[in-house]
């Protein structure tokens, strides 16, 4: 499929994701987590591994993975509050950015220490705290996805990709319009849907909404909108990024792992969701170097456009 066709399809996916997220907000979020989530995380981690996680050295991913696991373990298992547990995410973020751009350890160490120190100082200020608290979910879904789309639009000069980004922003606003109808959620969906709310407590707290707010379904719909589009976007670009070109052994492993997660969700949705948290967090953390490179390339292309005006 050509780039143009993929961009056209993605514009359609935005409309589709918006419609289903408005109609059945809780159900579509649960569906996206259970069906798309494991497939996306497993295939992206496989793809990142084959590209050395977009870092300069072969084993750079090891400290990133350890810090990422340590952060989510401290928060979800040891029950440390976000303000303390997510200091590990600050360290991981700045270390990952350093590893994406710098090869020589003579420069890596002071740059990593310096940027981490700046990050920890920023963590003393509320906006930076919110950024890192939301980094693993809403920032990853909204900001990083938007940058990837903008980068592709600039590289290919694609009107459809620019249209996709504009549509994502426009349709996002519709989830904050009161009174828009939706199909009442089933008891099953409500039971598990409200269990998902704590995973986005940082987002809800930021906009001043409690988990028992009557508008929580529409806000979960906003999350579902971005979550399902994020996954559809990933799978639509299989022919471009070619994450499917892997060995038979790894294919068997990925399919087995995916079916294992599906089995957990079928047995107990909450158990499946909890088991997927670590994998999802790991895929976010190991994508940081790619995020840093994408921001740099997007800035470079935008600067070039401005200079040519």
């Amino acid at each position: 499929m050509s780039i143009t066709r993929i961009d056209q399809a993605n514009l359609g996916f935005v409309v589709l994701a918006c419609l289903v997220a408005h109609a059945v907000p809780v159900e579509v979020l649960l569906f996206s987590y259970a069906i798309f989530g494991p497939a996306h995380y497993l295939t992206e981690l496989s793809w990142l591994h084959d590209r050395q996680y977009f870092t300069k050295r072969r084993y750079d991913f090891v400290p990133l993975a350890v810090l990422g696991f340590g952060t989510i373990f401290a928060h979800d298992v040891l029950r440390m509050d976000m303000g303390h547990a997510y200091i590990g995410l600050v360290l991981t973020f700045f270390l990952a950015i350093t590893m994406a751009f710098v090869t020589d350890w003579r420069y890596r160490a002071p740059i990593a220490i310096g940027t981490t120190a700046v990050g920890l100082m920023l963590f003393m200020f509320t906006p930076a705290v919110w950024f890192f608290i939301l980094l693993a979910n809403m920032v990853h879904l909204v900001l990083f996805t938007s940058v990837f789309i903008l980068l592709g639009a600039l590289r290919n000069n694609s009107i459809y990709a620019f249209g996709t980004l504009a549509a994502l922003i426009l349709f996002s606003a519709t989830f904050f319009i009161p009174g828009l109808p939706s199909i009442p959620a089933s008891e099953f969906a409500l039971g598990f849907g409200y269990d998902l709310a704590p995973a986005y407590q940082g987002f809800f707290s930021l906009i001043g909404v409690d988990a028992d707010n009557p508008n929580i379904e529409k806000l979960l719909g906003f999350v579902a909108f971005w979550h399902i589009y994020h996954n559809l976007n990933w799978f639509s670009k299989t022919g471009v990024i070619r994450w499917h070109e892997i060995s038979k052994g790894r294919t068997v492993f990925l399919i087995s792992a995916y079916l294992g997660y599906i089995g957990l969700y079928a047995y107990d949705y909450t158990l499946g969701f909890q088991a997927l948290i670590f994998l999802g967090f790991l895929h976010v953390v190991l994508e940081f170097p790619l995020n840093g490179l994408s921001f740099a390339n997007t800035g470079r292309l935008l600067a070039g456009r401005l200079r040519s005006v």
Side-chain angles (χ1 to χ4, degrees):
M1 185 183 292
S2 68
I3 294 293
T4 299
R5 290 293 187 187
I6 292 173
D7 289 341
Q8 289 172 339
N10 270 275
L11 186 54
F13 289 151
V14 176
V15 178
L16 174 64
C18 182
L19 290 175
V20 297
H22 269 297
V24 281
V26 183
E27 281 87 347
V28 77
L29 181 59
L30 296 177
F31 175 86
S32 186
Y33 261 112
I35 303 302
F36 287 134
H40 173 70
Y41 300 156
L42 288 167
T43 54
E44 183 173 352
L45 283 169
S46 171
W47 177 76
L48 288 170
H49 183 76
D50 287 340
R51 285 148 186 84
Q52 204 172 285
Y53 301 93
F54 293 89
T55 61
K56 296 296 186 181
R57 291 181 176 271
R58 184 176 181 182
Y59 295 107
D60 283 345
F61 75 95
V62 175
L64 299 181
V66 170
L67 283 168
F69 269 120
T71 299
I72 197 66
F73 184 84
H75 180 254
D76 280 35
V77 178
L78 300 181
R79 300 299 179 185
M80 291 177 62
D81 64 271
M82 282 187 170
H84 290 95
Y86 274 47
I87 289 177
L89 192 59
V90 178
L91 302 176
T92 311
F93 180 77
F94 286 104
L95 183 60
I97 300 302
T98 303
M99 289 175 166
F101 292 97
V102 184
T103 304
D104 195 324
W105 277 107
R106 292 176 299 174
Y107 304 108
R108 269 187 167 194
I111 291 174
I113 293 171
T115 53
T116 299
V118 171
L120 292 175
M121 286 189 287
L122 288 174
F123 207 60
M124 298 168 61
F125 300 95
T126 300
V129 172
W130 282 121
F131 175 82
F132 284 105
I133 285 176
L134 301 180
L135 187 58
N137 44 61
M138 296 312 299
V139 170
H140 176 78
L141 283 177
V142 178
L143 179 60
F144 294 158
T145 300
S146 298
V147 170
F148 287 140
I149 295 170
L150 179 58
L151 178 58
L154 291 168
R155 280 177 172 170
N156 303 310
N157 200 28
S158 171
I159 188 172
Y160 296 106
F162 284 117
T164 295
L165 184 57
L168 281 168
I169 295 170
L170 178 64
F171 290 164
S172 290
T174 64
F175 290 92
F176 298 90
I177 300 174
L180 291 181
S182 61
I183 299 172
S186 64
E187 289 187 16
F188 172 86
L190 283 176
F192 288 112
Y194 281 94
D195 287 340
L196 287 183
Y200 294 93
Q201 61 181 320
F203 167 60
F204 294 140
S205 297
L206 181 62
I207 60 177
V209 173
D210 296 324
D212 58 354
N213 189 289
N215 294 318
I216 198 72
E217 286 185 40
K218 278 301 179 184
L219 294 176
L220 286 173
F222 171 77
V223 177
F225 168 58
W226 278 94
H227 200 276
I228 199 164
Y229 173 75
H230 179 78
N231 286 289
L232 289 172
N233 173 264
W234 168 256
F235 289 110
S236 73
K237 295 182 177 177
T238 300
V240 177
I241 59 179
R242 315 195 77 79
W243 54 259
H244 64 298
E245 295 182 348
I246 55 177
S247 67
K248 290 183 180 179
R250 193 186 300 182
T251 300
V252 171
F253 171 77
L254 293 180
I255 292 175
S256 300
Y258 177 74
L259 292 176
Y261 273 110
I262 294 298
L264 281 177
Y265 272 108
Y267 175 72
D268 185 330
Y269 192 97
T270 301
L271 179 62
F273 177 74
Q274 291 172 342
L276 195 64
I277 286 176
F278 282 89
L279 188 67
F281 201 85
L282 184 63
H283 114 279
V284 170
V285 166
L286 292 177
E287 194 184 288
F288 284 161
L290 174 59
N291 297 147
L293 291 169
S294 298
F295 268 92
N297 290 329
T298 301
R300 178 177 53 81
L301 290 174
L302 283 173
R305 292 281 182 107
L306 291 174
R307 283 195 298 268
S308 64
V309 174

